[in-house]
Every structure is written in C-alpha cells, then in structure tokens.
C-alpha cells in the first residue's frame, strides 16, 4: 500500500503519525513511471529468459509481473505468455509496452490465474516475499494447479540470515534527478516478528514537497522452510542457487533462487487453452 503525506516532510527519518498520511488504492503513477529505472533489466532477467529457452516452454506464467519489463521479453514463436499482477496502474503501464499485445494481462493475484496449464511459472523481483502467511501456501497450491506435471516453477527470495533489512534501515537518504524533478528516497525497516520485516519506503518529490510512503510487510523465509512449503504444494525442489550464474546456495549468499518441478501424477487444474 502507498500513502501520500498531507504535509511536507521536515527531513528524512522523521517519524510520522497515521494522521500525516492519505491512503492510496494503488501505486503513485510517478513511482510506476520510475519503476524500470529502479529495477532495470539485468542478470536476473537473463536467468529467467535462459530458463524459458532451456525448458522449451510454450506456456509461461509471470505472477507478479509488475510493469511487464521481463514479461514482454519472454514472448516468442509458438509461445503463450500470461502476466498477472494485482496493481491496475502497473498493468496499465505494461499494456503500453512494445509487444504487449502478445501477452495476456490479468489483473489479480494467483486466484485469477488463467490460460494454463503452464510449462514455466516465474515470480521475479522477490515477489515471493510480498506474499504473507496463509496466502503464500494458497499461492503455491494455485501455482501447482496451473502447472502441467513436470513444469518448472522459479523464483528468488532473500536469505534471512544476511538480515538485509538492517542495511536498508542504516542507509542515508539519497537524492537523484528524475523527469519529475529531484527525488529523495530513504527507508525505515525493522523485524516486527520473527521472519517478518516491516518496511517503510519514502519517496520525496522535492519540487512539490510531497512524500509517497509505501508500507510493506516482507516475509523472510529460510531455504528449509521454502523447500517444505514447495513440497507441501506438490513441487519437488531441483536446485537452489546462490546467484544468477547458478552457483549452488551455501547458506551465506544474500539471495536464494529456487527451481522446482511440479510433481508428476498431479494434474494442473486450470487448463483453459
């Protein structure tokens, strides 16, 4: 959820009260316009594109596709690509991309998945950490229902043992130039309960003095927990990588990249081709 401060922020790291904020139903359009600059194409997208080629996937699902930066690059001959995201503003941006017409865009979460069964299912940009508790279990089960037997599910999640949120909280505010003028960003983060991090992301538009605040709760799950959750949902973990070059995860890298196969003998239930 994002919020807009009614009054100008005095300075970064200044505590706020709930009365200082106005709730917004979706992302601020300015933040959406800047999303690809903050989250550019890179080694992570190269990995997912390579996986699509290696698996010879003909049907691909991108759950939590955001602005569709990766999604549209998965398009190919004899390949169906579906992008699902709960943000109408993000999807509106995605639909304006070149090649967007070759992707089926769906507004919603995993319960809205259609167009399967899929050969490859991905959740990129640490989407898995944005799905809490029982919703996570439901999401994995619905992904399994949308997968053909033997299909590959791939996603990344941050390693909780490296405690990334402490670095975020310690970072100083930074200002950069944008099409909307100078923008200052900073974070407040703390572990509100074991494995759950409360993150406040601040974006101050200096010209208007408006501050957009994004409130997040991120789930930091161990490799063992995620592996158990995948197994319970009907997936078999085939690899856990520690970086985008596919170095095996040894417990110390900051990132965990999971590849899991939909267990054979359980048929996907959302075949709407």
């Amino acid at each position: 959820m994002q919020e807009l401060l009614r009054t100008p922020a005095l300075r970064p790291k200044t505590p706020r009260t709930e009365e200082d904020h106005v709730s917004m139903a979706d992302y601020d359009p300015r933040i959406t316009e800047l999303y690809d600059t903050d989250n550019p194409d890179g080694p992570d997208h190269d990995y997912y594109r390579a996986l699509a080629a290696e698996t010879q996937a003909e049907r691909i699902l991108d759950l939590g596709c955001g602005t569709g930066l990766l999604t549209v690059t998965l398009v190919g001959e004899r390949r169906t690509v579906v992008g699902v995201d709960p943000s109408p503003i993000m999807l509106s941006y995605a639909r304006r991309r070149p090649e967007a017409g070759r992707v089926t865009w769906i507004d919603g979460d995993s319960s809205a998945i259609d167009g399967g069964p899929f050969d490859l299912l991905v959740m990129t940009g640490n989407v898995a950490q944005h799905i809490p508790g029982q919703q996570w279990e439901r999401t994995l089960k619905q992904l399994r229902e949308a997968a053909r037997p033997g299909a590959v599910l791939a996603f990344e999640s941050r390693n909780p043992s490296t405690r990334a949120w402490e670095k975020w909280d310690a970072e100083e505010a930074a200002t950069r130039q944008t099409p909307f003028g100078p923008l200052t960003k900073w974070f407040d983060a703390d572990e509100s309960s074991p494995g759950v991090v409360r993150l406040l992301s601040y974006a101050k538009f200096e010209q208007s003095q408006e501050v957009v605040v994004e409130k997040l709760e991120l789930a930091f799950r161990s490799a063992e927990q995620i592996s158990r959750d995948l197994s319970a949902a009907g997936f078999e973990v085939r690899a856990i990588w520690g970086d985008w070059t596919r170095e095996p995860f040894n417990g110390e890298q900051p990132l965990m990249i999971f590849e899991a196969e939909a267990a054979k003998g359980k048929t996907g239930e959302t075949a709407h081709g």
Side-chain angles (χ1 to χ4, degrees):
M1 180 179 68
Q2 291 193 340
E3 298 182 336
L4 183 68
L5 290 182
R6 284 199 184 97
T7 55
L10 298 177
R11 63 183 184 275
K13 299 292 185 179
T14 301
R16 301 286 164 190
T17 65
E18 289 299 322
E19 288 75 18
D20 290 329
H21 303 76
V22 178
S23 295
M24 300 171 67
D26 202 350
Y27 287 92
D28 186 294
R30 295 168 296 183
I31 299 298
T32 303
E33 291 288 334
L34 297 171
Y35 187 86
D36 291 352
T37 301
D38 293 337
N39 302 275
D41 191 272
D44 53 341
H45 290 188
D46 291 339
Y47 162 82
Y48 288 110
R49 284 188 288 260
L51 193 59
E54 292 164 14
T55 58
Q56 298 182 327
E58 295 183 358
R59 288 182 176 269
I60 300 176
L61 172 70
D62 185 358
L63 179 61
C65 63
T67 63
L69 181 61
L70 169 65
T71 322
V72 295
T73 69
L74 295 171
V75 168
E77 293 297 325
R78 297 184 297 278
R79 183 182 281 175
T80 298
V81 178
V82 176
V84 179
D85 199 273
S87 166
I89 288 180
M90 286 282 192
L91 285 183
S92 176
Y93 189 97
R95 289 186 174 104
R96 299 197 300 270
R97 291 187 177 281
E99 301 291 335
R102 301 180 64 186
V103 176
T104 299
W105 305 101
I106 298 176
D107 184 349
D109 60 14
S110 58
S111 63
I113 293 173
D114 201 355
F118 296 95
D119 307 305
L120 175 64
L121 308 91
V122 302
M123 293 185 287
T124 69
N126 295 295
V127 161
Q129 292 190 254
H130 293 255
I131 307 173
Q134 293 182 348
Q135 291 182 35
W136 170 243
E137 297 173 7
R138 184 202 72 190
T139 295
L140 290 179
K141 290 178 181 177
Q142 289 172 335
L143 285 169
R144 178 60 193 90
E145 291 169 358
R148 67 164 179 79
V152 173
L153 168 65
F155 61 91
E156 78 269 24
S157 187
R158 300 178 186 90
N159 180 2
S161 70
T162 62
R163 303 181 69 82
W165 61 90
E166 294 179 349
K167 178 181 177 182
W168 302 337
D169 191 65
E171 289 177 349
E172 294 295 326
T175 303
R176 74 176 195 268
Q177 290 296 325
T178 76
F180 308 102
L183 175 69
T184 302
K185 296 191 73 173
W186 70 97
F187 304 95
D188 287 329
D190 64 85
E191 190 174 19
S192 56
S193 61
V196 178
V197 170
R198 180 192 63 92
L199 176 66
L200 296 178
S201 173
Y202 296 85
K204 180 181 179 183
F205 293 91
E206 298 290 352
Q207 289 182 351
S208 66
Q209 292 290 291
E210 292 175 314
V211 179
V212 176
V213 185
E214 184 174 10
K215 290 183 173 184
L216 297 172
E217 279 200 349
L218 301 178
F220 279 76
R221 304 176 179 97
S222 68
E224 293 77 16
Q225 180 182 350
I226 292 175
S227 296
R228 288 194 300 269
D229 293 342
L230 285 166
S231 178
F235 289 97
E236 298 173 354
V237 176
R238 70 178 195 179
I240 307 175
W241 308 117
D243 63 29
W244 299 113
T245 66
R246 305 193 196 194
E247 280 292 319
F249 178 67
N250 61 19
E252 298 180 359
Q253 299 104 318
L255 197 64
M256 307 176 293
I257 304 157
F258 288 82
E259 289 181 19
E261 287 189 3
K264 294 179 174 61
K266 295 183 179 181
T267 305
E269 298 174 5
T270 57
H272 304 285

